Amino acid sequence: MPSAHHAAFACALALALGPLATAPSAQGKPKVKFHQDWARHPSARYAAMSAAQCRAALERRKIAFEPVRRAPGVLAPVRLPQGVGGVLYRTALPAHQRATNPHDVFDCRLALALADFSRILRVHDVAEVLMYSAWRPPRATWPEGKLATRHPGGLAIDPYRFVKRRVGDAFAEEWLDVERDFVGRRGAPVCGEGAGKPAGRGATGGGASGLPADAAARELRSIVCEAADQHIFTSILTPNYDRAHKNHLHLEVTPGVQWQLVR
C-alpha cells in the first residue's frame, strides 16, 4: 500500500496537471520530467512574475504591447498588435477584428516566453504564427479576481501554421502546417532518445509549404524540440499526444510547478 507521503504527492501532481492528467493519450498517462534547477528555466522565471514585474520586463525588452483593461482569469492581459521578437502571433481574423477579439489576448508572462520562442522561429525564417487562440474567456460565473491557468489564464497558445516570408526574385509565402507537416504518431516520443526521425511522406508532396514533405516534417520537429531544450514552455503538446491535437501545438507557461511536459 502506498505511503501517506506518496499519496499526498500523487494528489498534488494530479491537481497541478489538471485536465492534462486525465486527457486521453496513446499510452494513458502523460510523462512529465521534474527538474532540480527548474527555477532557472525561462518558463519558471516568467511564471513566477507579478503583473508589474512582467510589464516592466516587456518594457526593458522594448516589446510593444497594449494593456487590456479587463480579462477575467488573466494576471496581466496584453495585446501584441506588432508581434513580439520579430514574429507576429495572431488568429486568422482581420486586423480590425483582432483588436477586440478575446482570443488575441495574451498574459504578459506568455508574451515573454513567445519573445524567446521568436528567436528560434527567426532562424527558421518564420515571420508569422497563426493560432486558434491564446486567451479563452472562462465561464460567466468565474469569480472576480481569481486567476486561471492554460487558455483561460491567457497562458497558452495553440499554433497551427508557421508562415515564412522570403524575398528572392519575387515575393513568396511559404508555411509549415502542423496537421500536414508534423507527421508524428500518437504515443511516440517527440524529442530526444527514442524519438527517431519524423515519418516522411516522400521527396515531394510538401504542398504550399514549398518544401519536400520530409524536409517540412524535420523542420517543424526541430522547432518544437529546440523550444523544449531551452525550456521556454512548461508544456508542449503535439499531434503525438492525442487526437485533439492532431492539427495544432499547445504551448503553455504554467505557474507553480517544477516539471516539463513534452508529448
Side-chain angles (χ1 to χ4, degrees):
M1 177 178 292
S3 68
H5 173 75
H6 289 159
F9 177 81
C11 180
L13 176 58
L15 289 173
L17 287 172
L20 293 182
T22 56
S25 71
Q27 297 181 352
K29 296 181 180 179
K31 296 179 180 178
V32 298
K33 291 185 178 180
F34 290 83
H35 297 274
Q36 291 183 341
D37 59 345
W38 67 276
R40 299 182 180 181
H41 295 163
S43 58
R45 288 189 288 105
Y46 301 149
M49 286 181 173
S50 67
Q53 289 171 333
C54 188
R55 293 191 185 102
L58 287 181
E59 292 171 353
R60 284 196 302 271
R61 294 194 188 189
K62 302 187 184 304
I63 296 172
F65 66 95
E66 296 177 357
V68 174
R69 185 177 62 84
R70 187 173 186 275
V74 184
L75 174 68
V78 299
R79 293 186 185 275
L80 304 169
Q82 300 177 34
V84 58
V87 177
L88 181 62
Y89 296 83
R90 68 176 186 89
T91 62
L93 292 174
H96 71 281
Q97 294 183 24
R98 296 201 304 272
T100 57
N101 177 38
H103 295 162
D104 284 278
V105 172
F106 306 82
D107 185 279
C108 174
R109 296 167 293 174
L110 176 61
L112 290 174
L114 293 178
D116 293 350
F117 189 44
S118 293
R119 290 199 293 266
I120 294 172
L121 296 182
R122 290 200 309 272
V123 172
H124 292 272
D125 300 307
V126 173
E128 187 172 271
V129 174
L130 291 177
M131 63 182 187
Y132 291 120
S133 66
W135 182 45
R136 296 177 193 162
R139 60 188 183 275
T141 56
W142 186 261
E144 188 67 30
K146 181 180 179 180
L147 296 180
T149 56
R150 303 187 180 90
H151 287 288
L155 288 167
I157 64 169
D158 46 13
Y160 63 90
R161 182 169 294 174
F162 297 83
V163 181
K164 298 185 173 204
R165 288 193 176 92
R166 292 178 176 147
V167 178
D169 295 334
F171 181 83
E173 185 176 77
E174 305 171 349
W175 60 79
L176 300 169
D177 185 272
V178 173
E179 183 169 19
R180 182 194 62 215
D181 295 325
F182 191 81
V183 199
R185 179 172 55 83
R186 279 194 296 277
V190 177
C191 307
E193 185 177 355
K197 295 181 179 180
R201 292 168 294 166
T204 60
S209 70
L211 293 170
D214 54 350
R218 287 196 301 272
E219 183 166 25
L220 186 54
R221 190 71 63 88
S222 178
I223 288 171
V224 169
C225 295
E226 288 172 53
D229 288 344
Q230 295 180 32
H231 298 277
I232 296 172
F233 304 103
T234 314
S235 295
I236 300 177
L237 302 182
T238 74
N240 281 16
Y241 182 59
D242 62 11
R243 186 178 298 275
H245 292 82
K246 69 176 184 177
N247 61 353
H248 68 279
L249 307 176
H250 174 92
L251 309 177
E252 174 191 328
V253 173
T254 311
V257 300
Q258 301 179 19
W259 45 259
Q260 181 187 45
L261 173 64
V262 181
R263 288 297 299 275

